[in-house]
């Protein structure tokens, strides 16, 4: 879980990050497959954060690597995006419902293309061992044939980019993003994907990953944000009876 918050006595935002190994992982003695990155570009007034949740599926046996790559690539891409938008004076386009989709489509395609390229390169440098093929029992034969090997790196992704003018949010897969406005009201502005139900989720490794990334842009000058928190599904699962308890 990570995000940003603004202290009441300060105009500046602070970044935070918290990661805890889940109960089921402790019980099964499996590693945490989540990853998170936060970046404070003080000279530009840009703050970036990303969290990814590896799938915890034996067939996604390198999802911990996939989640790390997803976070690092998303942060790098968002930093470049922010500077390009600023240098070209495109901020207003982010608030235009006709022009924003084109900007976001290029950003999303870039992140997924880089992620796919990176995991392909990782597999080329570190081929699966016989033990790994055996562990991926359901897809082991397909992996041997080179069929959709990116599935072994499967992960979700949530990321945010904050500037003085806007807060841009991205999400692929499950997990929750909660935004608190100047009055302390909580909302989840990113559209939900109805395919993410229970333990089922979409993934960066899906063939239609580009089209399943959702986003939302908030005008931080007109609607100031005091906090934004993103958490993997393990956070909300800790409060199963009420989303209000998750917000609290």
């Amino acid at each position: 879980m990570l995000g940003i918050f603004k202290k009441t006595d300060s105009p500046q935002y602070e970044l935070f990050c918290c990661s805890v190994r889940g109960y089921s992982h402790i019980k099964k003695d499996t590693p945490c497959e989540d990853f998170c990155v936060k970046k404070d570009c003080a000279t530009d007034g840009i703050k970036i954060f990303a969290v990814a949740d590896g799938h915890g599926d034996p067939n996604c046996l390198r999802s911990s690597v996939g989640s790390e790559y997803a976070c690092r690539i998303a942060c790098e891409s968002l930093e470049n995006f922010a500077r390009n938008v600023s240098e070209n004076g495109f901020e207003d386009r982010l608030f235009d419902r006709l022009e924003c989709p084109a900007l976001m489509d290029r950003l999303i395609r870039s992140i997924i293309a880089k992620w796919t390229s990176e995991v392909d390169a990782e597999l080329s440098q570190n081929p699966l061992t016989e033990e790994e093929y055996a562990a991926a029992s359901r897809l082991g034969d397909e992996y041997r044939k080179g069929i959709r090997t990116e599935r072994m790196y499967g992960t979700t992704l949530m990321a945010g980019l904050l500037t003085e003018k806007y807060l841009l949010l991205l999400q692929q897969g499950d997990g929750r993003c909660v935004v608190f406005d100047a009055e302390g009201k909580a909302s989840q502005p990113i559209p939900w994907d109805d395919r993410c139900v229970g333990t089922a989720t979409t993934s960066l490794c899906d063939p239609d990953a580009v089209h399943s990334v959702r986003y939302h842009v908030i005008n931080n000058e007109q609607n100031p944000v005091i906090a934004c928190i993103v958490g993997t599904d393990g956070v909300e699962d800790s409060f199963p009876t009420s989303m209000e308890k998750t917000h609290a």
Side-chain angles (χ1 to χ4, degrees):
M1 180 175 69
L2 52 75
I4 57 166
F5 72 95
K6 180 189 287 189
K7 291 184 177 181
T8 55
D9 60 348
S10 171
Q12 301 299 318
Y13 290 90
E14 294 190 24
L15 289 161
F16 70 89
C17 178
C18 177
S19 180
V20 178
R21 190 181 180 204
Y23 169 73
S24 64
H25 288 75
I26 295 174
K27 187 177 180 180
K28 298 175 183 177
D29 193 26
T30 55
C32 177
E33 294 170 319
D34 299 350
F35 200 83
C36 59
V37 171
K38 57 178 181 174
K39 187 169 186 179
D40 191 342
C41 308
T43 56
D44 294 20
I46 299 170
K47 297 185 187 295
I48 304 169
F49 49 93
V51 60
D53 185 0
H55 293 329
D57 182 324
N59 295 287
C60 302
L61 65 164
R62 292 189 179 177
S63 63
S64 60
V65 176
S67 63
E68 178 180 351
Y69 283 12
C71 288
R72 298 197 185 284
I73 290 168
C75 286
E76 177 184 328
S77 299
L78 285 169
E79 183 177 0
N80 292 334
F81 177 85
R83 288 178 175 152
N84 288 334
V85 166
S86 178
E87 290 170 2
N88 291 284
F90 287 166
E91 285 90 348
D92 289 342
R93 295 189 181 187
L94 292 173
F95 310 128
D96 188 308
R97 64 183 182 86
L98 297 179
E99 296 193 75
C100 182
L103 291 174
M104 297 305 300
D105 183 68
R106 287 195 290 271
L107 171 63
I108 291 166
R109 288 182 183 276
S110 174
I111 291 173
I112 294 177
K114 289 177 181 177
W115 180 83
T116 303
S117 177
E118 287 292 323
V119 298
D120 285 348
E122 201 279 336
L123 180 60
S124 178
Q125 295 171 6
N126 300 287
L128 287 186
T129 64
E130 286 302 319
E131 290 77 10
E132 288 177 310
Y133 279 122
S137 56
R138 184 166 59 86
L139 297 178
D141 289 341
E142 292 190 12
Y143 290 160
R144 285 184 185 276
K145 299 174 183 177
I147 299 174
R148 287 193 57 203
T149 53
E150 64 275 9
R151 286 179 292 182
M152 67 179 73
Y153 297 91
T155 181
T156 64
L157 174 66
M158 289 183 288
L161 163 64
L162 176 76
T163 73
E164 292 182 356
K165 295 185 177 182
Y166 62 88
L167 171 62
L168 186 160
L169 300 167
L170 293 173
Q171 181 170 5
Q172 200 292 321
D174 58 13
R176 294 286 176 175
C177 172
V178 181
V179 174
F180 295 86
D181 64 18
E183 297 179 354
K185 182 180 178 181
S187 65
Q188 296 179 28
I190 304 177
W192 187 249
D193 188 335
D194 291 333
R195 293 173 294 175
C196 299
V197 180
T199 58
T201 181
T202 55
S203 173
L204 282 183
C205 69
D206 291 340
D208 66 342
V210 168
H211 304 293
S212 62
V213 177
R214 299 97 68 199
Y215 64 86
H216 186 76
V217 182
I218 296 173
N219 188 323
N220 202 37
E221 294 180 316
Q222 295 182 4
N223 303 294
V225 171
I226 60 169
C228 175
I229 301 171
V230 294
T232 62
D233 59 347
V235 176
E236 64 179 289
D237 289 347
S238 299
F239 305 93
T241 59
S242 169
M243 189 54 64
E244 285 73 20
K245 291 184 178 180
T246 303
H247 293 167

